[in-house]
Amino acid sequence: MFFNIKQKILHFKQPAGTSRGVYTTRKIWLIHLSDGTREGIGECAPLPDLSCDALPDEVYESKLNSFCQHLCQTGDIDVDTLRPYPSMLFGLETALLNLRNGNQLFDTAFSRGEEGIPINGLVWMGRYDEMLQRMEEKLEKGFRCVKLKIGAIDFEQELDLVKRIRDRFSFHEVELRLDANGAFKFEEALYKLELLSQYAIHSIEQPIRQGQWAYMAELCRESPLPIALDEELIGVNDPEMKGHLLNVIKPRYIILKPSLHGGMEGCREWIAAAKERGIGSWITSALESNIGLNAIAQFASDVYGPHIRLPQGLGTGQLFTDNIPMPLTIIKDNLFLDNKNIRT
């Protein structure tokens, strides 16, 4: 087995705003594996200032090169060694699955192209008029679950956006999720959650910044809205520590991104730990190209089984002007895959 690593820069069609800043480009690394007859490709996509393995380029490439060498020499991925490097682990897992199994990474109805996966429509942060327009577009396309990123503009304007949705659609018609990306201060968080709760919100992700377990646990106890953890899970790679975090904070949901939360193997551990404690979960992409998005969607179909009902966060494949071609199609609010037309 031998490998090749290529860096690629993706360009956003529109700036992607979060409470941590605005992305205009996206740097990824593509791993190409071959055994002489078959090939596999995987994507490593750390997020600057967020991923626990967001390293300087030369350091990242050196680490990735050594992990690829180990895989080619042994035929296996050293998961324990790779725990601190989730984006690399995810890329290696994907490339090896693609090499061994071909385009159908998992034996699921989604991977065979027989059924879709429900997804949420994502409304990025921006000016009020921009967010309103994006929200209208998602609703017109038929999304029954809309995720609204908040925390970048005036809270009263964001509250008005939420109100506009509820004025038009009841919670029976449109499920509304919010993502604060840690933008609220603890002292004001509960008040803001109470104001938002009057609009039948499904859940809110990461209302305060990560690393404040005691404060987050208090919010989870007192909040009128179900709280989901996202950034809080980054860097928590030890299986025992995962259980400890969930025991302390007791969230209603956890939201998992393989590139951030331990690759596929690490996400399986999170899902199992959450299920034991009655905590729900869903999977989202983290601004990967279609290579990563395809793998994440197939992984979701495997880990949650057929007929997924809870919308997943798998709609980011249309963000880039120069995305890697992949037969992923969104029909209304479902993601479909035609793996017969995948080109490796």
Side-chain angles (χ1 to χ4, degrees):
M1 191 187 303
F2 53 93
F3 71 93
N4 178 259
I5 300 171
K6 293 181 179 179
Q7 186 189 102
K8 182 175 177 64
I9 304 293
L10 301 171
H11 299 83
F12 285 90
K13 293 177 181 177
Q14 296 178 336
T18 76
S19 60
R20 291 181 299 272
V22 178
Y23 294 108
T24 57
T25 61
R26 181 75 164 101
K27 185 182 297 181
I28 64 172
W29 284 263
L30 297 175
I31 302 170
H32 296 263
L33 292 180
S34 177
D35 62 4
T37 57
R38 300 173 299 176
E39 294 185 351
I41 185 171
E43 176 179 354
C44 303
L47 280 167
D49 302 320
L50 184 60
S51 297
C52 60
D53 58 353
L55 306 169
D57 286 4
E58 63 275 11
V59 178
Y60 190 93
E61 291 178 6
S62 176
K63 290 278 187 184
L64 183 57
N65 187 76
S66 66
F67 293 140
C68 287
Q69 287 180 346
H70 179 273
L71 171 59
C72 290
Q73 291 168 0
T74 65
D76 292 310
I77 298 172
D78 187 351
V79 173
D80 287 336
T81 300
L82 275 157
R83 284 185 184 276
Y85 309 97
S87 67
M88 300 186 202
L89 175 55
F90 175 61
L92 287 168
E93 289 172 320
T94 301
L96 189 58
L97 281 169
N98 190 201
L99 177 71
R100 291 174 173 174
N101 301 339
N103 299 332
Q104 188 178 313
L105 304 182
F106 298 97
D107 185 18
T108 68
F110 172 80
S111 297
R112 294 190 296 270
E114 296 170 358
E115 66 177 37
I117 295 176
I119 62 175
N120 62 248
L122 179 60
V123 176
W124 286 94
M125 290 179 179
R127 297 193 312 270
Y128 176 81
D129 56 337
E130 291 175 335
M131 294 180 71
L132 180 60
Q133 180 183 349
R134 293 168 188 168
M135 183 181 70
E136 295 284 353
E137 289 172 354
K138 296 299 180 184
L139 296 174
E140 288 174 3
K141 287 180 179 179
F143 281 94
R144 292 168 292 179
C145 177
V146 176
K147 175 179 170 179
L148 186 67
K149 283 187 172 286
I150 62 174
I153 63 174
D154 180 72
F155 179 71
E156 294 300 324
Q157 289 186 310
E158 292 173 335
L159 200 63
D160 183 64
L161 282 172
V162 174
K163 181 179 183 299
R164 282 175 177 262
I165 296 178
R166 279 293 167 253
D167 285 345
R168 286 183 54 192
F169 299 95
S170 73
F171 70 93
H172 295 294
E173 297 170 297
V174 173
E175 180 179 283
L176 188 56
R177 299 174 178 174
L178 303 178
D179 184 1
N181 285 127
F184 297 166
K185 296 178 181 178
F186 172 71
E187 295 76 14
E188 65 187 17
L190 190 58
Y191 171 69
K192 289 184 175 181
L193 294 177
E194 288 172 348
L195 290 178
L196 290 165
S197 67
Q198 62 187 309
Y199 299 113
I201 307 299
H202 172 271
S203 58
I204 183 166
E205 295 179 39
Q206 205 69 42
I208 61 174
R209 62 179 174 82
Q210 67 268 36
Q212 306 178 87
W213 287 21
Y215 285 160
M216 187 67 83
E218 183 177 338
L219 282 182
C220 287
R221 287 195 305 270
E222 303 296 333
S223 172
L225 290 181
I227 290 177
L229 302 184
D230 180 357
E231 289 93 338
E232 199 72 63
L233 313 179
I234 296 172
V236 182
N237 301 309
D238 178 75
E240 290 188 10
M241 186 59 69
K242 292 176 181 180
H244 180 54
L245 180 150
L246 297 178
N247 288 339
V248 170
I249 299 180
K250 296 181 173 63
R252 185 76 65 86
Y253 301 101
I254 59 173
I255 300 169
L256 298 164
K257 300 176 173 68
S259 291
L260 296 176
H261 300 132
M264 299 183 195
E265 182 65 25
C267 285
R268 289 186 191 277
E269 292 174 353
W270 275 117
I271 291 168
K275 190 174 182 179
E276 288 177 3
R277 295 161 174 82
I279 297 169
S281 66
W282 64 86
I283 289 173
T284 80
S285 51
L287 305 181
E288 293 89 356
S289 79
N290 278 333
I291 297 294
L293 177 61
N294 168 58
I296 294 168
Q298 292 202 46
F299 170 66
S301 71
D302 181 65
V303 76
Y304 291 128
H307 315 307
I308 297 174
R309 300 183 65 181
L310 193 66
Q312 309 292 299
L314 304 173
T316 59
Q318 299 173 318
L319 290 176
F320 304 109
T321 61
D322 46 2
N323 209 335
I324 299 167
M326 188 70 65
L328 293 164
T329 304
I330 297 175
I331 302 176
K332 290 188 176 180
D333 61 350
N334 274 259
L335 181 71
F336 290 89
L337 171 67
D338 180 4
N339 66 29
K340 295 179 181 178
N341 291 319
I342 294 178
R343 295 180 181 179
T344 57

